[in-house]
């Protein structure tokens, strides 16, 4: 079967790929100790609202925060214990987020989960409700509530359901281990999603640096008429939503469109497995697979963690540090978040802790742009990153928008390939935030003025 891919992108080479550190380490379940912290905003949209109080006793799998709106998701406790506090706590992104703190009693007493014997008897609305109630969100990092994604305006126009199995970010291996150890859950989860879209075909898009996954999943899908495995070229960011859609379907979308506008639904491995747990087993999102890796870690490996466990505890389970790291990252090196402390909780969307002995990026000396065009070749959105960064540096917002700066997906490919070591992605990302923030503020002001005018007209 031919490999499919997209234009642009990069291929990080050793030692920057890093997957060899943990890819062959089986998933190990670890039980947390002490207190766990559950941020009420682990998703895009309105934060969840606490439905427990300090002093309450809770069980593993009990809902502790209800969705704060349609674009929101509930939060569940991953342990049994006592609610110790409801207060702002810092997260991996350094934000202070209102959180529920639970003192783990070490018993892991669970609520009773209602497994469905035959998912074929469920209606489409019942499936979506189960996904919604379980608090399933995009667990690859985006955190978009999955029940919203599975509810497009016209389900009949969806002709592709794409499983993002590429895991293209360097060092990360949690999805790889999940596909190797629990491939049946991925296939069954895909079959559940396909029940919602009668005209769709399921495609498992896997980079060809995972031949064992391709082989195993191809065997499982051999007699599945609506599901196929599509090998993809090993290239970053192959797992980007726009990139994997183009690679598999040849269709293009931009920032003003949703995948559904191109007839596609895209979910990553962890999300699809969570859908299976929610619909078939009746289990909410409480756990996830998590990679602790990097050359500063004593025993890099993959863990099944209880969401809410601290990063520090996971590092301890991996044997601690061999050497004091110069850089700690939540996620991968390309799109992850640098961390200054490990005293923060894991969430539905945190997939890895990467600890590097040498912080190469901070030692680079930036020089003048030589107009080599490598950033343009690397950009998967076909932008001109060097020019966008210039506009960002000089605060030229109009020119930044004119040259499609808002289409940047912030993948970092331009910075990786720049011989001048310019922080292109960082400059562009910062300008994007400023421009989008101003647009949001202007929209809010216009809405307030319109409402005020409406009220004045009524009174008049």
């Amino acid at each position: 079967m031919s490999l499919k891919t997209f234009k642009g992108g990069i291929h990080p080479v050793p030692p920057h790929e890093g997957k060899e550190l943990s890819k062959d380490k089986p998933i190990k379940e670890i039980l947390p100790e002490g207190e766990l912290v559950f941020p009420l905003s682990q998703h895009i949209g309105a934060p969840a609202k606490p439905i427990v109080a300090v002093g309450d006793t809770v069980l593993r799998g009990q809902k502790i925060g209800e969705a704060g709106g349609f674009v929101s998701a509930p939060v569940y406790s991953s342990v049994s214990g006592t609610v110790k506090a409801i207060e702002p706590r810092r997260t991996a992104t350094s934000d202070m987020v209102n959180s529920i703190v639970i003192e783990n009693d070490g018993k892991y007493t669970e609520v009773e989960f209602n497994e469905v014997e035959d998912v074929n008897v469920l209606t489409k609305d019942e499936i979506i409700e189960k996904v919604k109630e379980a608090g399933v969100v995009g667990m690859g990092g985006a955190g978009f509530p999955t029940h919203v994604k599975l509810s497009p305006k016209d389900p009949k126009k969806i002709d592709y359901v794409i499983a993002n199995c590429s895991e293209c970010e360097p060092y990360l291996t949690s999805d790889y281990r999940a596909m190797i150890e629990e491939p049946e859950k991925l296939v069954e989860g895909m079959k559940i999603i396909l029940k919602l879209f009668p005209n769709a075909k399921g495609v498992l898009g896997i980079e060809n640096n995972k031949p064992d996954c391709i082989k195993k999943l191809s065997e499982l899908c051999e007699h599945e008429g609506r599901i196929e495995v599509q090998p993809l070229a090993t290239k970053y960011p192959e797992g980007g939503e726009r990139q994997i859609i183009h690679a598999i379907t040849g269709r293009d979308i931009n920032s003003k469109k949703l995948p559904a506008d191109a007839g596609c639904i895209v979910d990553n491995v962890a999300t699809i497995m969570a859908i299976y747990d929610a619909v078939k087993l009746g289990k909410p999102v409480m756990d996830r697979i998590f990679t602790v890796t990097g050359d500063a870690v004593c025993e890099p490996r993959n863990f099944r963690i209880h969401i809410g466990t601290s990063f520090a505890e996971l590092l301890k389970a991996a044997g601690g540090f061999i050497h004091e790291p110069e850089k700690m990252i939540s996620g991968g090196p390309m799109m992850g978040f640098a961390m200054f402390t490990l005293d923060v909780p894991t969430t539905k969307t945190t997939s890895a802790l990467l600890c590097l002995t040498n912080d190469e990026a901070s030692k680079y000396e930036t020089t003048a742009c030589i107009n080599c065009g490598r950033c343009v070749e690397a950009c998967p959105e076909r932008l001109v990153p060097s020019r966008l960064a210039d506009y960002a540096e000089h605060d030229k917002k109009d020119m930044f928008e004119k040259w499609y700066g808002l289409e940047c997906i912030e993948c970092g490919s331009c910075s990786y390939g720049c011989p001048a070591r310019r922080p292109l992605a960082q400059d562009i990302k910062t300008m994007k935030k400023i421009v989008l923030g101003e647009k949001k503020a202007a929209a809010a002001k216009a809405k307030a003025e319109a409402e005020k005018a409406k009220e004045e007209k009524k009174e008049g």
Side-chain angles (χ1 to χ4, degrees):
M1 190 179 292
S2 63
L3 296 178
K4 293 189 176 183
T5 190
F6 61 97
K7 294 180 180 179
I10 59 171
H11 187 185
V13 296
H16 301 118
E17 189 172 33
K19 292 183 184 289
E20 70 283 353
L21 295 174
S22 58
K23 70 181 288 288
D24 296 323
K25 305 290 181 64
I27 298 168
K28 178 183 178 182
E29 182 167 4
I30 57 172
L31 299 178
E33 302 171 357
E35 68 176 33
L36 281 80
V37 179
F38 301 89
L40 289 165
S41 186
Q42 301 186 33
H43 50 266
I44 290 173
K49 300 175 182 178
I51 55 173
V52 292
V54 175
D56 285 356
T57 298
V58 299
L59 301 177
R60 170 172 158 80
Q62 179 178 330
K63 187 192 292 187
I64 56 177
E66 65 181 3
F70 179 65
V71 183
S72 184
V75 175
Y76 291 80
S77 176
S78 63
V79 296
S80 57
T82 305
V83 178
K84 184 178 177 181
I86 301 177
E87 61 189 19
R89 288 292 186 99
R90 196 171 299 282
T91 65
T93 58
S94 297
D95 297 321
M96 294 296 286
V97 176
N98 199 34
S99 306
I100 298 173
V101 184
I102 295 178
E103 187 68 35
N104 179 14
D105 63 13
K107 297 177 182 178
Y108 303 98
T109 309
E110 289 187 338
V111 302
E112 185 177 346
F113 303 119
N114 298 314
E115 183 174 344
V116 176
E117 188 173 336
D118 182 8
V119 296
N120 292 311
V121 304
L122 298 175
T123 66
K124 295 177 183 180
D125 288 343
E126 287 172 333
I127 290 174
I128 292 175
E129 183 60 30
K130 283 180 175 289
V131 171
K132 177 182 178 180
E133 185 62 19
V136 182
V137 302
M139 295 173 71
F144 191 78
T146 302
H147 70 275
V148 180
K149 183 181 286 190
L150 298 180
S151 306
K153 292 180 180 179
D154 190 351
K156 292 181 181 179
K157 290 185 178 180
I158 301 299
D159 47 15
Y160 283 95
V161 175
I162 300 172
N164 174 11
C165 307
S166 62
E167 197 167 44
C168 60
E169 180 90 37
Y171 287 94
L172 307 193
T173 58
S174 57
D175 283 353
Y176 169 76
R177 290 311 311 177
M179 288 188 284
I180 287 295
E181 298 183 39
E182 302 176 321
E184 296 85 2
K185 285 181 67 173
L186 177 60
V187 175
E188 292 301 316
M190 173 61 81
K191 288 165 70 174
I192 289 171
I193 300 174
L194 288 173
K195 293 181 186 301
L196 304 174
F197 306 105
N199 300 324
K201 174 173 69 174
V203 181
L204 310 182
I206 312 176
E207 285 188 323
N208 68 330
N209 64 349
K210 305 172 184 66
D212 42 1
C213 289
I214 292 174
K215 182 176 183 295
K216 185 167 287 194
L217 287 165
S218 293
E219 290 172 354
L220 284 175
C221 297
E222 186 176 0
H223 302 295
E224 297 292 342
R226 296 180 64 194
I227 305 176
E228 67 178 42
V229 174
Q230 173 60 60
L232 303 172
T234 299
K235 185 166 62 171
Y236 175 86
E238 192 75 77
E241 198 167 55
R242 300 182 200 174
Q243 283 64 52
I244 200 166
I245 287 174
H246 178 83
I248 289 174
T249 72
R251 302 170 186 174
D252 294 308
I253 60 171
N254 56 31
S255 63
K256 296 180 175 64
K257 294 182 179 180
L258 296 172
D261 295 324
C264 299
I265 297 291
V266 183
D267 280 310
N268 86 318
V269 171
T271 305
I272 294 175
M273 290 186 172
I275 289 172
Y276 171 82
D277 287 341
V279 178
K280 172 66 178 175
L281 306 181
K283 291 186 176 182
V285 179
M286 305 176 290
D287 311 323
R288 67 161 300 139
I289 313 300
F290 189 97
T291 303
V292 180
T293 188
D295 62 354
V297 176
C298 185
E299 301 174 16
R301 69 174 309 143
N302 304 281
F303 296 104
R304 186 182 303 278
I305 66 165
H306 292 238
I307 290 170
T309 305
S310 75
F311 277 71
E313 195 168 336
L314 298 179
L315 173 66
K316 181 181 177 182
F321 293 132
I322 301 175
H323 310 287
E324 194 66 26
E326 288 188 354
K327 191 80 167 256
M328 300 184 299
I329 300 172
S330 170
M334 300 301 293
M335 295 188 74
F337 300 94
M339 305 173 70
F340 65 88
T341 178
L342 296 183
D343 188 23
V344 293
T346 52
T347 65
K348 298 175 186 179
T349 60
T350 50
S351 60
L353 169 62
L354 171 60
C355 303
L356 301 173
T357 302
N358 184 25
D359 183 3
E360 293 181 46
S362 68
K363 295 180 175 64
Y364 290 147
E365 183 178 344
T366 301
T367 58
C369 175
I370 60 174
N371 296 312
C372 65
R374 291 185 189 175
C375 61
V376 179
E377 291 178 0
C379 180
E381 290 299 308
R382 318 313 295 154
L383 305 176
V384 186
S386 56
R387 180 162 293 182
L388 291 173
D390 287 341
Y391 293 145
E393 288 175 8
H394 295 91
D395 198 33
K396 294 183 177 180
K397 300 185 185 71
D398 291 343
M399 293 302 293
F400 182 84
E401 282 196 73
K402 183 178 178 180
W403 282 81
Y404 305 102
L406 296 182
E407 294 302 317
C408 172
I409 62 170
E410 304 173 16
C411 66
S413 295
C414 54
S415 297
Y416 184 87
C418 178
R421 303 302 186 188
R422 297 181 68 194
L424 301 170
Q426 183 175 336
D427 290 343
I428 296 169
K429 183 177 181 179
T430 300
M431 179 56 82
K432 266 188 70 180
K433 284 186 176 180
I434 292 171
V435 172
L436 291 173
E438 289 182 356
K439 286 181 176 292
K440 185 177 180 180
K445 182 180 178 181
K447 182 180 179 181
E449 289 176 350
E451 290 176 350
K452 182 180 178 182
K454 189 177 180 181
E455 288 299 319
E456 291 175 347
K457 187 175 181 181
K458 281 183 180 179
E459 292 174 1

